[in-house]
Structures are given as structure tokens and as C-alpha cells.
Amino acid sequence: MKKIFLLVNIFALCLLASCNKNEFATFDDKDAFVAFGKASYAIAEDGASLTIPVTLASVAGVETTVTVSGVDGTAVNGVDYSVKNGGVLTFNAQTRTANVEVEIFNRAGEYTGDISFTLQFSNLGGVNAGFQSTATVTIQDNDHPLSPILGTYNVSGMDVWGGKVD
């Protein structure tokens, strides 16, 4: 019985030793991708501009040009926002993060409510889109919904401790 047990163990050891070792996963520049820094951003309508980082994940620093474009939602391109420089971003070994600039147009005195649009990659330039391939931008309205009816006004009063509040 001991001989059978010994032979079975030797057979099992030989079987396990003949298996190929698992290869470690490698990251090659063919797997390079670009992604936005976050999934969503918010800015007040009088915020002027918004800077959104886009990062290239690459081993050697692939040289590529990526284009970011805006997709209208409740915000309209040319009316509420504009992607500066055509959304063209250039990456290389020294530049792994580039910023897309979005100009926000202030519609002061006009209540629109919070409006939004989406940024996405329209040209990947030979790299892949990463997990965060879109970014939603919300433009927060500063105007009161009744301002067209009530106009603008100032309020002042006293707080609980007797101080003036404007």
C-alpha cells in the first residue's frame, strides 16, 4: 500500500511539474488608453472656463493626438459652452496629461435651471478609450426662477444675536 501511495504521489508531482507556469500580465503600448480625470464636473454659469484633465496611460509614452468634443444635452454648444482649440490634445513621452478647456457662456438674468452636456473622445489617434471615456459637465444656474417676474432686490434683517444680516 505504501508503494502505491508513493507511486501516486510521484505521478502527481510529475504531472504538476510538467504544467506551464502562468505568464504575468504585461502592459504594452498597444494597450495604451486615454481617460478623463472624473466622470462629472460642475461649474457656475459665471465660472468663465473649466479645465478638465485627460491622461494617457502608456508604457513608453506613445505620441498621439486625441480630439475631445461636446455632445449637447440640455446645454447647447455655441450658446452655453464651447470646447476651446477644437478639443485637440497632444500626448508624448513628456506629456502624459493634457487639459481640455471648456468656455462657459454666462446667461446672466436668464433662468435656465442647471443644464449639462457630455464630453467624449471623437478621435482617439490610435489609442484606446479608457474606463472613464466620457465626462458630464453641469452648468449651475445662478438666477432665481422668479427673477423675470420679481426683478432683483436686496434683503436685510437682524439675526438672533442682534447683528445685521444683508
Side-chain angles (χ1 to χ4, degrees), residues 35-60:
F36 289 100
K38 295 189 315 185
S40 62
Y41 296 86
I43 186 169
E45 71 178 339
D46 60 354
S49 68
L50 180 64
T51 302
I52 299 173
V54 176
T55 302
L56 169 70
S58 169
V59 175

mmCIF file of all heavy atoms in Angstrom, residues 35-60:
data_model
loop_
_atom_site.group_PDB
_atom_site.id
_atom_site.type_symbol
_atom_site.label_atom_id
_atom_site.label_comp_id
_atom_site.label_asym_id
_atom_site.label_seq_id
_atom_site.Cartn_x
_atom_site.Cartn_y
_atom_site.Cartn_z
ATOM 1 N N ALA A 35 -8.114 58.667 -20.750
ATOM 2 C CA ALA A 35 -9.309 58.733 -19.906
ATOM 3 C C ALA A 35 -9.413 60.104 -19.262
ATOM 4 O O ALA A 35 -8.403 60.771 -19.017
ATOM 5 C CB ALA A 35 -9.257 57.651 -18.835
ATOM 6 N N PHE A 36 -10.655 60.506 -18.994
ATOM 7 C CA PHE A 36 -10.898 61.745 -18.261
ATOM 8 C C PHE A 36 -10.562 61.530 -16.796
ATOM 9 O O PHE A 36 -10.589 60.402 -16.298
ATOM 10 C CB PHE A 36 -12.361 62.177 -18.391
ATOM 11 C CG PHE A 36 -12.724 62.673 -19.761
ATOM 12 C CD1 PHE A 36 -13.386 61.848 -20.653
ATOM 13 C CD2 PHE A 36 -12.401 63.953 -20.155
ATOM 14 C CE1 PHE A 36 -13.722 62.296 -21.923
ATOM 15 C CE2 PHE A 36 -12.725 64.415 -21.415
ATOM 16 C CZ PHE A 36 -13.388 63.577 -22.303
ATOM 17 N N GLY A 37 -10.290 62.619 -16.086
ATOM 18 C CA GLY A 37 -9.951 62.532 -14.670
ATOM 19 C C GLY A 37 -11.107 62.080 -13.794
ATOM 20 O O GLY A 37 -10.924 61.324 -12.850
ATOM 21 N N LYS A 38 -12.328 62.535 -14.092
ATOM 22 C CA LYS A 38 -13.518 62.179 -13.313
ATOM 23 C C LYS A 38 -14.701 61.978 -14.264
ATOM 24 O O LYS A 38 -14.632 62.365 -15.429
ATOM 25 C CB LYS A 38 -13.884 63.287 -12.315
ATOM 26 C CG LYS A 38 -12.880 63.523 -11.231
ATOM 27 C CD LYS A 38 -13.361 64.467 -10.128
ATOM 28 C CE LYS A 38 -14.050 65.706 -10.595
ATOM 29 N NZ LYS A 38 -14.395 66.645 -9.516
ATOM 30 N N ALA A 39 -15.771 61.428 -13.718
ATOM 31 C CA ALA A 39 -16.965 61.189 -14.528
ATOM 32 C C ALA A 39 -17.838 62.435 -14.662
ATOM 33 O O ALA A 39 -18.571 62.575 -15.631
ATOM 34 C CB ALA A 39 -17.786 60.055 -13.930
ATOM 35 N N SER A 40 -17.762 63.346 -13.682
ATOM 36 C CA SER A 40 -18.622 64.523 -13.753
ATOM 37 C C SER A 40 -17.937 65.745 -13.151
ATOM 38 O O SER A 40 -17.109 65.621 -12.241
ATOM 39 C CB SER A 40 -19.951 64.266 -13.044
ATOM 40 O OG SER A 40 -19.728 64.005 -11.680
ATOM 41 N N TYR A 41 -18.307 66.878 -13.688
ATOM 42 C CA TYR A 41 -17.785 68.174 -13.249
ATOM 43 C C TYR A 41 -18.958 69.143 -13.148
ATOM 44 O O TYR A 41 -19.961 68.988 -13.842
ATOM 45 C CB TYR A 41 -16.753 68.713 -14.252
ATOM 46 C CG TYR A 41 -15.521 67.860 -14.371
ATOM 47 C CD1 TYR A 41 -15.486 66.779 -15.235
ATOM 48 C CD2 TYR A 41 -14.403 68.124 -13.600
ATOM 49 C CE1 TYR A 41 -14.364 65.981 -15.332
ATOM 50 C CE2 TYR A 41 -13.277 67.341 -13.687
ATOM 51 C CZ TYR A 41 -13.264 66.269 -14.558
ATOM 52 O OH TYR A 41 -12.140 65.471 -14.640
ATOM 53 N N ALA A 42 -18.806 70.148 -12.301
ATOM 54 C CA ALA A 42 -19.838 71.182 -12.177
ATOM 55 C C ALA A 42 -19.156 72.539 -12.093
ATOM 56 O O ALA A 42 -18.063 72.670 -11.540
ATOM 57 C CB ALA A 42 -20.688 70.947 -10.934
ATOM 58 N N ILE A 43 -19.820 73.548 -12.674
ATOM 59 C CA ILE A 43 -19.296 74.908 -12.653
ATOM 60 C C ILE A 43 -20.475 75.870 -12.667
ATOM 61 O O ILE A 43 -21.508 75.592 -13.284
ATOM 62 C CB ILE A 43 -18.338 75.162 -13.853
ATOM 63 C CG1 ILE A 43 -17.689 76.533 -13.737
ATOM 64 C CG2 ILE A 43 -19.048 74.966 -15.172
ATOM 65 C CD1 ILE A 43 -16.549 76.767 -14.719
ATOM 66 N N ALA A 44 -20.324 76.992 -11.983
ATOM 67 C CA ALA A 44 -21.357 78.024 -12.001
ATOM 68 C C ALA A 44 -21.379 78.676 -13.377
ATOM 69 O O ALA A 44 -20.357 78.739 -14.063
ATOM 70 C CB ALA A 44 -21.088 79.066 -10.919
ATOM 71 N N GLU A 45 -22.529 79.183 -13.774
ATOM 72 C CA GLU A 45 -22.653 79.762 -15.113
ATOM 73 C C GLU A 45 -21.743 80.971 -15.325
ATOM 74 O O GLU A 45 -21.415 81.299 -16.458
ATOM 75 C CB GLU A 45 -24.100 80.121 -15.423
ATOM 76 C CG GLU A 45 -24.641 81.301 -14.666
ATOM 77 C CD GLU A 45 -26.064 81.639 -15.049
ATOM 78 O OE1 GLU A 45 -26.531 81.253 -16.135
ATOM 79 O OE2 GLU A 45 -26.723 82.315 -14.247
ATOM 80 N N ASP A 46 -21.330 81.617 -14.232
ATOM 81 C CA ASP A 46 -20.416 82.759 -14.373
ATOM 82 C C ASP A 46 -18.966 82.330 -14.131
ATOM 83 O O ASP A 46 -18.106 83.161 -13.891
ATOM 84 C CB ASP A 46 -20.806 83.894 -13.431
ATOM 85 C CG ASP A 46 -20.786 83.475 -11.969
ATOM 86 O OD1 ASP A 46 -20.578 82.283 -11.682
ATOM 87 O OD2 ASP A 46 -20.992 84.350 -11.107
ATOM 88 N N GLY A 47 -18.680 81.038 -14.229
ATOM 89 C CA GLY A 47 -17.346 80.498 -13.963
ATOM 90 C C GLY A 47 -16.332 80.731 -15.060
ATOM 91 O O GLY A 47 -15.165 80.432 -14.880
ATOM 92 N N ALA A 48 -16.725 81.249 -16.202
ATOM 93 C CA ALA A 48 -15.850 81.603 -17.316
ATOM 94 C C ALA A 48 -15.287 80.390 -18.046
ATOM 95 O O ALA A 48 -15.545 80.205 -19.218
ATOM 96 C CB ALA A 48 -14.742 82.541 -16.896
ATOM 97 N N SER A 49 -14.479 79.528 -17.384
ATOM 98 C CA SER A 49 -13.935 78.364 -18.084
ATOM 99 C C SER A 49 -13.666 77.233 -17.105
ATOM 100 O O SER A 49 -13.538 77.441 -15.902
ATOM 101 C CB SER A 49 -12.663 78.716 -18.849
ATOM 102 O OG SER A 49 -11.618 79.018 -17.962
ATOM 103 N N LEU A 50 -13.576 76.052 -17.656
ATOM 104 C CA LEU A 50 -13.364 74.841 -16.880
ATOM 105 C C LEU A 50 -12.227 74.063 -17.518
ATOM 106 O O LEU A 50 -12.177 73.917 -18.740
ATOM 107 C CB LEU A 50 -14.655 74.005 -16.882
ATOM 108 C CG LEU A 50 -14.670 72.693 -16.137
ATOM 109 C CD1 LEU A 50 -14.470 72.925 -14.645
ATOM 110 C CD2 LEU A 50 -15.992 71.979 -16.377
ATOM 111 N N THR A 51 -11.285 73.597 -16.689
ATOM 112 C CA THR A 51 -10.152 72.807 -17.165
ATOM 113 C C THR A 51 -10.352 71.367 -16.724
ATOM 114 O O THR A 51 -10.476 71.098 -15.534
ATOM 115 C CB THR A 51 -8.834 73.356 -16.585
ATOM 116 O OG1 THR A 51 -8.708 74.729 -16.978
ATOM 117 C CG2 THR A 51 -7.649 72.573 -17.076
ATOM 118 N N ILE A 52 -10.359 70.448 -17.690
ATOM 119 C CA ILE A 52 -10.608 69.039 -17.402
ATOM 120 C C ILE A 52 -9.395 68.232 -17.871
ATOM 121 O O ILE A 52 -9.047 68.250 -19.051
ATOM 122 C CB ILE A 52 -11.883 68.546 -18.095
ATOM 123 C CG1 ILE A 52 -13.075 69.345 -17.573
ATOM 124 C CG2 ILE A 52 -12.078 67.048 -17.892
ATOM 125 C CD1 ILE A 52 -14.361 69.076 -18.274
ATOM 126 N N PRO A 53 -8.740 67.500 -16.938
ATOM 127 C CA PRO A 53 -7.562 66.723 -17.321
ATOM 128 C C PRO A 53 -7.922 65.431 -18.060
ATOM 129 O O PRO A 53 -8.899 64.768 -17.735
ATOM 130 C CB PRO A 53 -6.899 66.412 -15.980
ATOM 131 C CG PRO A 53 -8.011 66.429 -14.992
ATOM 132 C CD PRO A 53 -8.997 67.428 -15.505
ATOM 133 N N VAL A 54 -7.108 65.119 -19.054
ATOM 134 C CA VAL A 54 -7.205 63.855 -19.785
ATOM 135 C C VAL A 54 -5.825 63.224 -19.696
ATOM 136 O O VAL A 54 -4.813 63.872 -19.985
ATOM 137 C CB VAL A 54 -7.605 64.073 -21.258
ATOM 138 C CG1 VAL A 54 -7.608 62.765 -22.020
ATOM 139 C CG2 VAL A 54 -8.957 64.756 -21.345
ATOM 140 N N THR A 55 -5.768 61.952 -19.284
ATOM 141 C CA THR A 55 -4.492 61.285 -19.055
ATOM 142 C C THR A 55 -4.299 60.144 -20.041
ATOM 143 O O THR A 55 -5.228 59.383 -20.311
ATOM 144 C CB THR A 55 -4.428 60.745 -17.614
ATOM 145 O OG1 THR A 55 -4.620 61.833 -16.721
ATOM 146 C CG2 THR A 55 -3.095 60.090 -17.326
ATOM 147 N N LEU A 56 -3.068 60.021 -20.528
ATOM 148 C CA LEU A 56 -2.664 58.914 -21.389
ATOM 149 C C LEU A 56 -1.932 57.897 -20.533
ATOM 150 O O LEU A 56 -0.945 58.228 -19.876
ATOM 151 C CB LEU A 56 -1.751 59.404 -22.521
ATOM 152 C CG LEU A 56 -1.059 58.315 -23.341
ATOM 153 C CD1 LEU A 56 -2.069 57.571 -24.200
ATOM 154 C CD2 LEU A 56 0.033 58.916 -24.202
ATOM 155 N N ALA A 57 -2.405 56.656 -20.532
ATOM 156 C CA ALA A 57 -1.713 55.564 -19.838
ATOM 157 C C ALA A 57 -0.942 54.788 -20.896
ATOM 158 O O ALA A 57 -1.518 54.134 -21.760
ATOM 159 C CB ALA A 57 -2.711 54.663 -19.131
ATOM 160 N N SER A 58 0.392 54.899 -20.837
ATOM 161 C CA SER A 58 1.258 54.287 -21.832
ATOM 162 C C SER A 58 2.591 53.952 -21.188
ATOM 163 O O SER A 58 3.050 54.659 -20.294
ATOM 164 C CB SER A 58 1.455 55.266 -22.989
ATOM 165 O OG SER A 58 2.470 54.848 -23.849
ATOM 166 N N VAL A 59 3.210 52.880 -21.642
ATOM 167 C CA VAL A 59 4.496 52.465 -21.081
ATOM 168 C C VAL A 59 5.605 53.414 -21.520
ATOM 169 O O VAL A 59 6.319 53.984 -20.712
ATOM 170 C CB VAL A 59 4.834 51.016 -21.496
ATOM 171 C CG1 VAL A 59 6.223 50.630 -21.028
ATOM 172 C CG2 VAL A 59 3.806 50.061 -20.945
ATOM 173 N N ALA A 60 5.749 53.591 -22.815
ATOM 174 C CA ALA A 60 6.852 54.390 -23.342
ATOM 175 C C ALA A 60 6.445 55.816 -23.699
ATOM 176 O O ALA A 60 7.287 56.609 -24.085
ATOM 177 C CB ALA A 60 7.443 53.712 -24.576
#
